[in-house]
Amino acid sequence: MLVIEFTNISSKVVSEHIRNLAKCIRKQDIKYVFGVTGSGSSLQLIERLQDLGTTYYPVGHEGAGALMAGACNDGHVRGVSVSIKGPGYVNLAPGMLANMYEGRPTISVSEAYNSTSPSFRTHKRLNHTTIASALTKAYAKCDGSESQIESLATLARQEYPGPVHIDLCAQPEQDQHVYVTGQIDGTTSDDEEKLTEALQDINASRRPIVVLGSLAARRGLDSVWNELRVPCFTTAAAKGAVSEKGSFAGGIITGEISQLSPENSVAYQSADLVVGIGLRNTEMINPEFPQVALVMFDELTSACHGGFAPSRVIRCRDIRSTSGLVRDVLRGKDWGEQEIAEYWGRVDASIMTSEWLPGPIYRHVQHLLGDDTILVLDTGFFCTIGESVWKAQRPADFQGSSIGRFMGIGIPTAIGSAISSKRKVVCVVGDG
């Protein structure tokens, strides 16, 4: 099969609002663009972005482009995906949804009809707004202004991070409003009195454990937890938020409990207090904990804590500073090292015994390639094993469909990760 792709056909006339959009995107330090272009505004945008130093990667499917853009993020938007209107935009949807689930800030841009376009122009016509309302944090029709792009980029990285979308019409839109879909929650103050009481609860505990959600990973708090001597667990989305090579790293909890789940470890079962940092029900299959007190610290207070039945939820303006206070109290605790070691001994005895199983392969590959390697997983049982066996020392060491559990996410995510990180990347895919 011979495949020929033309990507260097120049557009003679470029609208001013498209020039401005390209400048605004580049000003946000967005470095990569992925997409399938048409011959109109999308092509013009990509040409201008290339002129400004942004690297463009043509992809075979718009959804893959959105996944690649999502993999490029470092807490800020670093990747943009581009498509034509209608069917191209629909192809973006699976990637946009995956980015929403996994909390990856991205901007997608698609060609679109102007709001004043007559209804009889039906070629590839689709109600983009309906889809954007369900799959993005915010969306707008491009007016070429810097403030619009700044607003969208800010919303994309604001807790909880995710994708935003902009329709690029042939003519600039007069409506400069950015429509927020309601997928954003936030806070402006600390619960100081509740914080004092929560720290007293931690100080009074004898066997506390820490459970980290992905917020801890996004805020770069791994150094805070690595120095503690109490059992520390994470959700799959927070893998690497505490070094998994540490002797107090207890593994990944999901709430879906089996014989070898960390929830069945002695360290977990013996706890007399659970300290949750950025722990949310979106990252758990079942938000269940031992029948002990649960104290939760988060920058959000919303339905994302439903199901946990916490004794306290502490709203924090800045989880970094609050985590420092929690760490200072926990420094006086020392327990669980032997219990954690016994748990991992049981895991190894079960999944590291046969050469054909994924476990030994993951361990051997990590040994061969070294710790400066990123593991990217698809989804399936082999991914559950990979999440346990591959030892991430920081969040950037791992990417997967930890929340959405999308099959097919692995290869595009790995490509985007390899492009943006310049590190070695191992991608593992399969069907179960």
Side-chain angles (χ1 to χ4, degrees):
M1 179 177 68
L2 176 64
V3 177
I4 302 175
E5 181 171 8
F6 295 98
T7 60
N8 60 349
I9 303 174
S10 297
S11 302
K12 295 181 180 179
V13 179
V14 180
S15 300
E16 187 63 24
H17 74 298
I18 297 178
R19 292 183 185 274
N20 290 338
L21 176 60
K23 291 177 183 177
C24 295
I25 288 175
R26 193 67 184 96
K27 192 171 181 179
Q28 292 294 319
D29 199 24
I30 293 171
K31 302 176 180 180
Y32 311 102
V33 182
F34 306 88
V36 180
T37 68
S39 58
S41 57
S42 60
L43 178 59
Q44 295 174 18
L45 174 64
I46 286 172
E47 287 180 331
R48 300 291 75 75
L49 285 170
Q50 287 180 304
D51 291 342
L52 295 171
T54 305
T55 305
Y56 170 61
Y57 294 90
V59 300
H61 189 276
E62 293 87 346
L67 292 171
M68 293 177 195
C72 291
N73 90 87
D74 57 0
H76 296 267
V77 178
R78 300 294 183 230
V80 169
S81 54
V82 179
S83 76
I84 63 169
K85 59 183 174 289
Y89 180 59
V90 170
N91 285 346
L92 270 176
M96 294 162 65
L97 180 59
N99 288 333
M100 175 64 81
Y101 279 146
E102 307 306 328
R104 294 171 182 162
T106 58
I107 296 176
S108 57
V109 181
S110 68
E111 294 181 358
Y113 281 107
N114 280 96
S115 55
T116 57
S117 177
S119 59
F120 58 78
R121 294 199 177 275
T122 61
H123 176 64
K124 296 185 179 181
R125 199 173 194 109
L126 182 75
N127 189 332
H128 287 199
T129 300
T130 300
I131 296 176
S133 298
L135 303 181
T136 68
K137 294 182 66 179
Y139 60 94
K141 284 186 176 290
C142 176
D143 62 12
S145 69
E146 183 175 338
S147 61
Q148 188 182 65
I149 298 303
E150 285 182 348
S151 177
L152 286 168
T154 298
L155 289 169
R157 66 176 181 267
Q158 180 181 332
E159 197 64 28
Y160 180 72
V164 297
H165 179 76
I166 187 165
D167 275 347
L168 181 57
C169 305
Q171 302 297 324
E173 286 285 323
Q174 300 304 311
D175 180 8
Q176 300 183 14
H177 189 67
V178 172
Y179 295 90
V180 179
T181 64
Q183 312 250 9
I184 298 171
D185 196 357
T187 184
T188 57
S189 62
D190 297 313
D191 289 332
E192 294 183 9
E193 183 177 342
K194 290 183 180 179
L195 174 59
T196 300
E197 295 171 349
L199 295 176
Q200 290 172 348
D201 289 344
I202 296 171
N203 189 51
S205 67
R206 297 180 59 192
R207 296 183 305 278
I209 64 174
V210 176
V211 181
L212 304 175
S214 62
L215 176 65
R218 285 190 293 278
R219 296 295 184 259
L221 298 175
D222 44 306
S223 61
V224 171
W225 312 114
N226 287 337
E227 55 188 76
L228 295 180
R229 297 184 61 80
V230 299
C232 191
F233 304 83
T234 73
T235 63
K239 184 175 173 66
V242 62
S243 174
E244 294 179 323
K245 292 198 170 185
S247 55
F248 288 88
I252 292 173
I253 65 169
T254 65
E256 190 174 51
I257 302 173
S258 63
Q259 184 178 356
L260 289 177
S261 298
E263 291 94 328
N264 270 329
S265 66
V266 174
Y268 191 94
Q269 293 289 337
S270 299
D272 63 1
L273 180 69
V274 179
V275 179
I277 306 293
L279 183 62
R280 299 168 186 170
N281 53 23
T282 53
E283 300 177 19
M284 301 279 291
I285 297 173
N286 287 310
E288 296 180 355
F289 279 88
Q291 299 301 309
V292 297
L294 166 61
V295 178
M296 304 179 74
F297 300 86
D298 207 326
E299 293 178 357
L300 303 182
T301 53
S302 70
C304 63
H305 301 131
F308 289 108
S311 55
R312 301 187 194 278
V313 179
I314 314 303
R315 183 179 59 183
C316 312
R317 183 192 301 271
D318 181 2
I319 198 69
R320 295 183 187 89
S321 60
T322 302
S323 295
L325 298 174
V326 173
R327 173 202 57 199
D328 291 343
V329 177
L330 286 171
R331 273 177 172 159
K333 315 294 179 179
D334 189 343
W335 86 282
E337 184 173 14
Q338 182 61 35
E339 290 86 346
I340 294 294
E342 290 174 358
Y343 165 72
W344 286 117
R346 288 197 298 118
V347 172
D348 282 359
S350 178
I351 67 176
M352 301 297 292
T353 56
S354 302
E355 293 184 359
W356 61 268
L357 284 174
I361 296 174
Y362 285 119
R363 186 159 294 177
H364 187 59
V365 169
Q366 188 168 29
H367 175 73
L368 286 176
L369 296 182
D371 292 332
D372 190 36
T373 304
I374 301 171
L375 175 67
V376 178
L377 296 179
D378 210 271
T379 195
F381 183 53
F382 69 93
C383 293
T384 304
I385 295 175
E387 289 171 349
S388 297
V389 174
W390 190 275
K391 301 303 181 185
Q393 297 189 73
R394 51 196 182 277
D397 294 346
F398 173 82
Q399 287 204 62
S401 187
S402 301
I403 300 175
R405 299 298 183 183
F406 273 61
M407 187 168 287
I409 197 175
I411 292 175
T413 301
I415 293 172
S417 183
I419 288 171
S420 59
S421 70
K422 307 299 189 291
R423 295 172 60 189
K424 291 175 288 187
V425 176
V426 173
C427 180
V428 182
V429 298
D431 63 355

